[in-house]
């Protein structure tokens, strides 16, 4: 796992993450060692927290802040769909409970359709930005009547208007 500080954690698989029955070549014989998944999750979270700390420092230098950050530890290719990965609603509901948020007065901004789909499900407004992957999704977004703007600055202009 690569971390934002440029280092990495290299993990041996057999005998470290999974049981080592010898030459492991049959997928059905793969068995996690006790505590291995939790240990890897802790590394993942530590990387996430380091990135969030760096983001916080960069924003603070400009007088800005993020009030809360929520993290989905699942990867859809490994664990399948979950309720906390967008467009799932679990993390949004957690934020709602923590900050007493009125979703009908809320905005979802992102560069993917999955970033803005929760707006429709929760009664708010979505804005697709054309940065990142946004250029790839503009047509679909417009077909779904989702506002498309050039970047985050333009999205904030619309939100504050």
């Amino acid at each position: 796992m690569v971390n934002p500080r440029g280092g990495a954690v290299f993990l041996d698989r057999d005998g470290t993450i999974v049981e080592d029955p010898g030459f492991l070549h049959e997928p059905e014989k793969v068995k996690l060692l006790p505590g291995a998944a939790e240990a890897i999750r802790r590394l993942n979270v530590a990387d996430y927290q380091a990135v969030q700390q760096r983001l916080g420092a960069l924003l603070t230098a400009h007088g800005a802040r993020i009030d809360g950050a929520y993290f989905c530890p699942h990867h859809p290719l490994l664990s399948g769909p979950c309720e906390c990965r967008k467009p799932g609603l679990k993390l949004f509901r957690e934020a709602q409970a923590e900050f007493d948020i009125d979703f009908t007065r809320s905005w979802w901004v992102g560069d993917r359709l999955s970033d803005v789909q929760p707006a429709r499900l929760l009664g708010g407004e979505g804005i697709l930005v054309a940065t990142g992957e946004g250029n790839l999704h503009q047509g679909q977004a417009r077909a779904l009547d989702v506002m498309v703007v050039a970047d985050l600055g333009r999205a904030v202009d619309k939100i504050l208007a």
Side-chain angles (χ1 to χ4, degrees):
M1 280 152 261
V2 177
N3 70 43
R5 294 177 300 273
V9 176
F10 299 94
L11 299 172
D12 173 62
R13 184 189 71 185
D14 301 347
T16 304
I17 301 172
V18 300
E19 291 179 5
D20 187 357
F23 178 65
L24 184 58
H25 62 282
E26 299 173 68
E28 63 275 2
K29 289 190 177 180
V30 174
K31 292 190 172 50
L32 283 172
L33 287 169
E38 172 62 16
I40 292 172
R41 185 196 66 75
R42 288 179 32 227
L43 286 171
N44 298 147
V45 168
D47 279 352
Y48 171 77
Q49 289 173 342
V51 169
Q52 286 303 108
Q53 288 172 351
R54 172 71 173 146
L55 174 59
L58 291 171
L59 291 172
T60 298
H62 294 276
R65 73 176 189 285
I66 292 178
D67 292 321
Y70 299 83
F71 171 75
C72 170
H74 310 109
H75 192 289
L77 297 178
L78 301 176
S79 60
C82 66
E83 268 304 300
C84 53
R85 182 173 286 290
K86 292 178 285 185
L89 305 179
K90 181 180 181 215
L91 298 180
F92 296 111
R93 296 213 185 274
E94 287 179 11
Q96 180 185 39
E98 184 174 351
F99 294 103
D100 193 30
I101 296 169
D102 178 353
F103 287 142
T104 64
R105 300 181 66 181
S106 299
W107 297 80
W108 279 257
V109 181
D111 69 320
R112 298 177 185 180
L113 289 176
S114 61
D115 296 334
V116 298
Q117 285 172 333
R120 286 186 159 210
L121 299 170
L122 296 170
E125 296 289 332
I127 302 176
L128 183 85
V129 293
T131 54
E133 293 189 16
N135 278 328
L136 304 174
H137 305 288
Q138 288 186 52
Q140 289 176 291
R142 287 190 175 104
L144 294 169
D145 202 29
V146 172
M147 185 184 316
V148 178
V149 297
D151 55 28
L152 180 57
R154 299 275 192 228
V156 170
D157 289 344
K158 296 291 185 183
I159 292 167
L160 296 178

